[in-house]
Amino acid sequence: MADLPSNFDSWEHLQNTYMLEYNKRVDKFFSDVAGNGDLSNVRSSLKLACRLVDGDNQATWNLRTSLFFDVIGYSRKNLSIFYGSSIDTNLPVAGHPQLFLYFSQDSQAVPVNGKRLDHEKSCRLTRYASKSGQSLPAITKANLLEIATEIKQQFVSGGKGIVYTAGKVSVSYTDPANGFPRGGRWLVNSKSEAITLYTKLCNVVDRPFDINKINVNTPEKDSTTQVITATDTVLGKQYKESAYRPVANLRFRYAYVSFGSNISPIFLIDTTYRNTALLA
């Protein structure tokens, strides 16, 4: 092992190494943001606030790293921010793995003091069994990588998740034999958009799309488009009323597979970089 130089400063070396590796992770997390000095939107401002720079004092260093790891949540890698309730994931999935796709609003699109809208869509991977010993072949890592690659092709463009417009139109697709049991729905702004989304999902699971299995429900009530000012009072505290099926753009964020029981989900792809996924 080579001797260290006589002027070697272990503390300086530690700081420089930490700063280099830390900033790499910040840059990857904010890969959709160009440059490091733009304050034109929320994400670019957050990136600037998170990056360590030479000359930071200890207090600034602590605030930057706490903002990134604790407040934004990078330290929660391998923990899903949202993937259904424990009741949903612990129930059996009829012998087939269950694929989930998660969508949400961009942070800068959320109204001030508003709630970030999101949606999760799932289907069954009926080509595979959830475990060995069943009549169908058990799913393998190679199978999951193939599905992840198809998800990337169908739902990611230019390194970002594709966007669809949610609205009041409720569209379901019922095809139990091919992984779409009764009960699921996609809230969209038009029937054609739902057909596009279901077609993409059928391509992902390698099952045929049948337009005759689409069911559309368009309520007479209009979507809520204005800012909600009405409130409800519960136990003496006021809460804003929920918007009715608002029109909003939702972006694909990540996809994972659940095997039911107590098995942790396996993330296939994650554009937020919060979870370790099979496909980068």
Side-chain angles (χ1 to χ4, degrees):
M1 179 177 178
D3 293 334
L4 295 173
S6 58
N7 62 345
F8 177 75
D9 186 329
S10 60
W11 175 241
E12 186 69 21
H13 175 259
L14 174 60
Q15 284 184 306
N16 291 337
T17 303
Y18 185 95
M19 184 182 301
L20 176 64
E21 293 302 317
Y22 168 86
N23 283 338
K24 281 182 181 179
R25 284 154 179 78
V26 172
D27 291 342
K28 183 177 181 180
F29 183 79
F30 291 101
S31 59
D32 57 312
V33 176
N36 299 319
D38 181 13
L39 298 177
S40 62
N41 60 69
V42 174
R43 282 187 61 77
S44 60
S45 179
L46 280 172
K47 180 182 179 182
L48 180 63
C50 288
R51 291 189 98 256
L52 293 174
V53 296
D54 286 329
D56 280 345
N57 58 31
Q58 188 63 52
T60 304
W61 180 294
N62 292 340
L63 282 173
R64 292 188 194 280
T65 54
S66 178
L67 173 64
F68 184 57
F69 287 121
D70 301 325
V71 179
I72 294 177
Y74 187 84
S75 60
R76 296 191 295 270
K77 287 182 67 175
N78 296 317
L79 296 175
S80 175
I81 302 305
F82 174 88
Y83 57 82
S85 69
S86 60
I87 293 178
D88 294 333
T89 56
N90 286 337
L91 288 174
V93 290
H96 303 293
Q98 199 165 7
L99 173 66
F100 291 84
L101 276 68
Y102 176 70
F103 303 78
S104 68
Q105 273 184 297
D106 289 340
S107 57
Q108 60 266 33
V110 180
V112 176
N113 297 323
K115 180 182 178 182
R116 186 179 188 180
L117 299 178
D118 58 11
H119 177 70
E120 189 174 57
K121 186 64 185 172
S122 71
C123 63
R124 307 288 175 82
L125 300 175
T126 55
R127 294 166 57 88
Y128 307 102
S130 59
K131 57 185 177 180
S132 58
Q134 296 176 255
S135 57
L136 291 171
I139 199 165
T140 65
K141 183 176 180 180
N143 299 142
L144 293 175
L145 281 169
E146 182 180 356
I147 294 169
T149 300
E150 187 64 27
I151 291 171
K152 185 174 183 179
Q153 181 174 338
Q154 298 289 335
F155 289 95
V156 178
S157 177
K160 297 182 180 181
I162 65 167
V163 172
Y164 79 91
T165 304
K168 73 173 185 177
V169 183
S170 174
V171 183
S172 62
Y173 182 70
T174 305
D175 187 3
N178 287 315
F180 297 88
R182 187 181 303 275
R185 66 177 184 175
W186 222 316
L187 289 177
V188 291
N189 205 35
S190 67
K191 174 183 174 181
S192 60
E193 189 148 33
I195 290 174
T196 297
L197 292 167
Y198 276 115
T199 301
K200 286 178 175 291
L201 192 50
C202 284
N203 289 337
V204 166
V205 298
D206 195 20
R207 291 304 195 191
F209 173 76
D210 185 349
I211 188 65
N212 295 314
K213 295 177 180 177
I214 283 283
N215 305 284
V216 182
N217 177 23
T218 305
E220 292 297 327
K221 183 177 180 179
D222 291 332
S223 296
T224 305
T225 55
Q226 72 277 12
V227 177
I228 301 296
T229 57
T231 59
D232 291 323
T233 302
V234 180
L235 297 176
K237 186 174 182 179
Q238 289 190 327
Y239 298 88
K240 283 189 177 180
E241 290 184 355
S242 299
Y244 177 73
R245 298 185 180 183
V247 176
N249 290 330
L250 302 186
R251 187 182 299 279
F252 169 72
R253 303 295 179 185
Y254 52 73
Y256 65 93
V257 170
S258 171
F259 296 89
S261 186
N262 294 318
I263 303 172
S264 297
I266 296 178
F267 281 82
L268 305 183
I269 185 169
D270 182 6
T271 66
T272 72
Y273 303 108
R274 289 191 173 122
N275 305 282
T276 301
L278 290 180
L279 189 67

